[in-house]
């Protein structure tokens, strides 16, 4: 009986040691404050991204009691946009032309709300103006878009096309598109849609340094941030009022290597886009953790653009966390090559409360590592080693001389 009790005591001690050891393997922790309910949200602060893995797999929520460590499961959510696009059926009822251009009239089977018409035009190069009108009975037409430009450039330097008509919600039975062209457009297909979108929520990041340089028909923009953060949106402010279409390469700094000639910065491609006067100069990025970006604008034989400002933004990362036991809870992170947690709540449909409160944070604390017990050498003073070597040599000499005398 006593043996069983001793075994259980040892097992419990080892279990608690392992639990506490879970936190010891991470580098930093932040105390979570304001836990009152079973469910709370944790809005991951910027300073956490400085130390997490590239894929954010090493974020945990641990609770510490007097005898145990509890891991609280969470659902990782990102505040990206939510699209709900629906394509509307229609009939082409008229296709005519006159001195103004080519007219295309479309009928919707029933009155629908739309806000986008995509024209698929196979002509490689064009620059046309569009007029879009709407009517309920084809007797009176109302202007939706006027002098709206569509464009296609396909040459050795650029391959760019913009043929989407975007406009505020409109609800008509008939729509008429006028393409102001002397030649008949090669219009192969049309898509009419209602684009419903819940806008993304972004966190603005302060740019600490922004430098432009020009070399060999290129403009190079170096952008530095205060911290390493997840980047999802890049915006430019271009002061030029002319038309422009420039290919750009967006890169992020992976690491820097010190050489005899200074530091070599290793950049990795992030995205390739087109900077155009036809569209908003904002570009979606694939959610990469970075602190420094480089943007290369290909000017070709054109004058460099006047770019006065840049903005960088990122989605808000939220951990919807379940707390089941009272404890002092911490947001724990910073463990290279850690795997993603495997929680039941991520595999099943959870009915979450409507109003989940957000938790506050304490200070960032370094997690102390357990000290490795150092074993001192048998002889710390090197003179002991010389003495022992001398004694060994003397003994070997003594026995050697003794053996030689016996042989004589």
């Amino acid at each position: 009986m006593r043996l069983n009790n001793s075994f259980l005591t040892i097992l419990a001690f080892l279990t608690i040691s392992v639990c506490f050891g879970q936190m010891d393997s991470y580098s930093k922790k932040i105390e979570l404050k304001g836990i009152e309910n079973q469910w709370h949200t944790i809005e991951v602060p910027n300073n956490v991204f400085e130390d997490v893995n590239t894929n954010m797999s090493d974020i945990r929520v641990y609770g510490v009691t007097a005898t145990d460590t509890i891991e609280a499961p969470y659902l990782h959510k990102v505040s990206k946009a939510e699209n709900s696009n629906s394509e509307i059926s229609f009939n082409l009822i008229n296709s005519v032309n006159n001195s103004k251009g080519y007219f295309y009239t479309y009928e919707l089977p029933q009155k629908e709300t739309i806000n986008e018409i995509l024209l698929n035009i196979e002509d490689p190069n064009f620059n046309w103006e569009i007029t879009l009108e709407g009517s309920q009975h084809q007797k009176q037409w109302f202007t939706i878009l006027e002098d709206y430009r569509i464009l296609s450039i396909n040459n050795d330097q650029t391959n760019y096309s913009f043929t989407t008509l975007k406009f505020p919600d409109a609800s008509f039975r008939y729509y008429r598109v006028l393409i102001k062209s002397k030649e008949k457009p090669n219009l192969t297909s049309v898509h009419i849609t209602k684009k419903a979108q819940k806008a993304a929520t972004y966190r603005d990041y302060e740019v600490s340094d922004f430098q432009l340089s020009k070399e060999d028909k290129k403009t190079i923009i170096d952008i530095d941030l205060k911290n390493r953060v997840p980047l999802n949106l890049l915006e430019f402010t271009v002061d030029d009022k002319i038309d422009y279409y420039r290919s750009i390469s967006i890169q992020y700094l992976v690491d820097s290597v010190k050489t005899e000639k200074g530091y070599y910065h290793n950049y990795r491609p992030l995205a390739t886009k087109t900077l155009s006067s036809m569209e908003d100069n904002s570009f979606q990025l694939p959610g990469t953790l970075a602190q420094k970006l480089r943007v290369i604008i290909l000017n070709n034989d054109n004058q460099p653009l006047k770019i006065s400002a840049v903005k960088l933004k990122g989605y808000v990362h939220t951990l919807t966390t379940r707390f089941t036991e009272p404890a002092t809870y911490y947001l724990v992170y910073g463990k290279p090559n850690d795997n993603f947690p495997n929680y039941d709540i991520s595999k099943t449909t959870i009915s979450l409360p409507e109003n989940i409160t957000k938790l506050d944070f304490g200070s960032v604390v370094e997690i102390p590592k357990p000290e490795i017990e150092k074993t001192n050498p048998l002889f710390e003073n090197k003179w002991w080693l010389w003495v022992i070597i001398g004694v060994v040599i003397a003994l070997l000499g003594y026995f050697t001389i003794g053996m030689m005398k016996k042989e004589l």
Side-chain angles (χ1 to χ4, degrees):
M1 188 70 177
R2 290 180 181 178
L3 182 60
N4 289 340
N5 289 338
S6 301
F7 175 76
L8 291 174
T9 302
I10 294 171
L11 182 62
F13 174 77
L14 291 174
T15 302
I16 293 171
S17 299
V18 169
C19 291
F20 279 100
Q22 289 178 338
M23 284 185 60
D24 291 341
S25 61
Y26 294 84
S27 62
K28 293 184 180 180
K29 64 180 180 180
I30 305 174
E31 185 177 351
L32 301 173
K33 298 183 177 182
I35 299 173
E36 297 176 348
N37 303 312
Q38 185 180 32
W39 290 95
H40 287 283
T41 58
I42 302 169
E43 195 172 292
V44 181
N46 286 346
N47 52 7
V48 169
F49 300 119
E50 188 72 27
D51 298 283
V52 297
N53 291 338
T54 304
N55 57 5
M56 304 184 200
S57 62
D58 56 331
I59 298 177
R60 299 291 188 274
V61 178
Y62 283 126
V64 178
T65 67
T67 58
D68 201 359
T69 297
I70 308 160
E71 184 169 353
Y74 63 79
L75 297 170
H76 187 173
K77 297 183 178 180
V78 182
S79 61
K80 61 178 65 176
E82 296 179 10
N83 296 324
S84 178
N85 300 339
S86 55
E87 189 163 342
I88 309 299
S89 62
F90 63 92
N91 298 310
L92 174 63
I93 62 173
N94 203 355
S95 176
V96 297
N97 68 289
N98 59 20
S99 59
K100 293 182 179 180
Y102 289 80
F103 293 83
Y104 302 89
T105 305
Y106 302 101
E107 178 190 17
L108 275 59
Q110 56 186 16
K111 190 167 70 172
E112 299 269 8
T113 300
I114 67 170
N115 51 24
E116 192 171 286
I117 298 177
L118 172 62
L119 306 175
N120 289 321
I121 301 174
E122 289 192 355
D123 298 84
N125 292 284
F126 57 83
N127 185 1
W128 297 323
E129 290 184 345
I130 295 285
T131 296
L132 174 64
E133 300 172 305
S135 175
Q136 303 295 3
H137 39 63
Q138 297 193 77
K139 294 181 180 179
Q140 184 179 12
W141 291 91
F142 299 90
T143 302
I144 302 171
L145 295 174
E146 190 171 16
D147 297 331
Y148 187 96
R149 289 181 62 198
I150 61 174
L151 176 75
S152 177
I153 302 175
N154 191 346
N155 54 39
D156 294 338
Q157 298 177 347
T158 305
N159 186 3
Y160 175 75
S161 177
F162 178 74
T163 60
T164 302
L165 312 184
K166 299 180 180 181
F167 46 91
D169 288 355
S171 181
F172 293 98
R173 184 71 183 273
Y174 300 92
Y175 291 90
R176 185 166 65 186
V177 177
L178 166 61
I179 302 178
K180 298 177 183 179
S181 169
K182 294 181 180 180
E183 298 179 357
K184 185 177 180 179
N186 188 8
L187 181 61
T188 56
S189 64
V190 175
H191 297 277
I192 299 177
T193 60
K194 167 65 185 297
K195 190 173 184 180
Q197 184 180 67
K198 179 183 177 183
T201 302
Y202 290 102
R203 181 181 290 170
D204 294 324
Y205 300 128
E206 183 178 350
V207 175
S208 60
D209 193 22
F210 164 58
Q211 295 182 354
L212 283 86
S213 59
K214 299 164 188 175
E215 61 176 57
D216 192 25
K217 299 183 180 181
K218 298 177 183 177
T219 299
I220 299 175
I221 307 173
D222 287 317
I223 310 166
D224 290 324
L225 298 169
K226 286 189 173 182
N227 303 98
R228 175 177 176 255
V229 287
L231 302 177
N232 298 96
L233 188 70
L234 171 63
E235 295 180 343
F236 291 99
T237 300
V238 181
D239 296 336
D240 298 80
K241 304 303 179 185
I242 59 172
D243 288 338
Y244 54 86
Y245 319 96
R246 311 283 172 90
S247 295
I248 66 173
S249 172
I250 305 171
Q251 307 171 357
Y252 71 100
L253 182 66
V254 179
D255 54 34
S256 299
V257 179
K258 190 174 183 180
T259 65
E260 294 179 355
K261 298 181 180 180
Y263 279 96
Y264 170 76
H265 300 295
N266 180 23
Y267 285 90
R268 186 172 295 170
L270 188 60
T272 300
K273 304 287 185 178
T274 300
L275 196 64
S276 168
S277 55
M278 298 282 292
E279 303 179 73
D280 293 335
N281 290 318
S282 61
F283 305 101
Q284 289 290 329
L285 304 177
T288 302
L289 284 168
Q291 187 173 354
K292 184 179 179 67
L293 289 187
R294 171 168 287 179
V295 180
I296 301 175
I297 304 175
L298 301 181
N299 297 318
N300 298 314
D301 296 322
N302 304 292
Q303 287 293 324
L305 297 173
K306 298 174 184 177
I307 297 176
S308 58
V310 294
K311 290 182 180 179
L312 281 165
K313 302 180 180 183
Y315 296 141
V316 178
H317 290 256
T318 302
L319 311 179
T320 303
T321 312
R322 184 179 65 192
F323 301 91
T324 57
E325 298 182 37
T328 303
Y329 284 92
Y330 298 90
L331 181 65
V332 179
Y333 57 96
K335 183 179 179 181
N337 304 317
D338 198 14
N339 295 321
F340 282 101
N342 187 2
Y343 299 132
D344 290 339
I345 62 173
S346 64
K347 302 174 183 178
T348 58
T349 303
I350 300 293
S351 180
L352 299 174
E354 290 186 5
N355 299 315
I356 303 179
T357 56
K358 202 164 49 173
L359 295 180
D360 296 322
F361 301 101
S363 302
V364 178
V365 177
E366 296 273 354
I367 298 178
K369 303 300 178 188
E371 294 185 6
I372 300 174
E373 190 173 328
K374 183 179 178 181
T375 304
N376 294 327
L378 181 61
F379 300 104
E380 292 186 353
N381 194 322
K382 64 181 181 180
W383 289 108
W384 282 104
L385 182 60
W386 288 112
V387 170
I388 292 172
I389 292 173
V391 171
V392 172
I393 292 172
L395 289 173
L396 289 174
Y398 173 77
F399 286 114
T400 301
I401 293 171
M403 291 174 66
M404 292 173 62
K405 287 181 178 180
K406 288 181 180 180
E407 290 180 0
L408 294 173

